[in-house]
């Protein structure tokens, strides 16, 4: 079976653990006076894998040693 994921292969994806994201939401809604309409990026592009790296890793984890193009 093929899985199609749109996007450029050199795009970097920031990763964040679900518990960290949840904690961020809790802090934001618990202190609306400090948030004041600001926007936040919850993640870090430092060392973030590219789409291509994620695609190859997923294919290999599924047992495909030659990731499809």
């Amino acid at each position: 079976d093929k899985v199609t994921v749109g996007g450029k292969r050199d795009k970097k994806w920031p990763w964040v653990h679900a518990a960290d994201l949840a904690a961020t939401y809790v802090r934001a809604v618990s202190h609306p006076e400090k948030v004041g309409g600001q926007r936040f990026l919850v993640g870090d592009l430092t060392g973030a894998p590219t789409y291509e790296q994620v695609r190859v890793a997923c294919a290999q984890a599924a047992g495909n040693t030659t990731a499809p193009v």
Side-chain angles (χ1 to χ4, degrees):
D1 294 341
K2 288 187 176 184
V3 175
T4 302
V5 179
K8 295 181 179 181
R9 291 182 180 202
D10 62 348
K11 178 177 174 22
K12 293 201 176 244
W13 290 3
W15 296 91
V16 61
H17 192 278
D20 295 333
L21 183 58
T24 300
Y25 277 113
V26 168
R27 286 184 182 147
V29 299
S30 296
H31 302 285
E33 72 284 357
K34 293 182 180 180
V35 175
Q38 297 180 65
R39 295 180 184 174
F40 299 91
L41 171 61
V42 181
D44 185 1
L45 288 176
T46 304
T50 63
Y51 160 72
E52 181 67 7
Q53 291 168 320
V54 172
R55 182 184 75 84
V56 170
C58 288
Q60 290 173 344
N64 184 345
T65 56
T66 57
V69 178

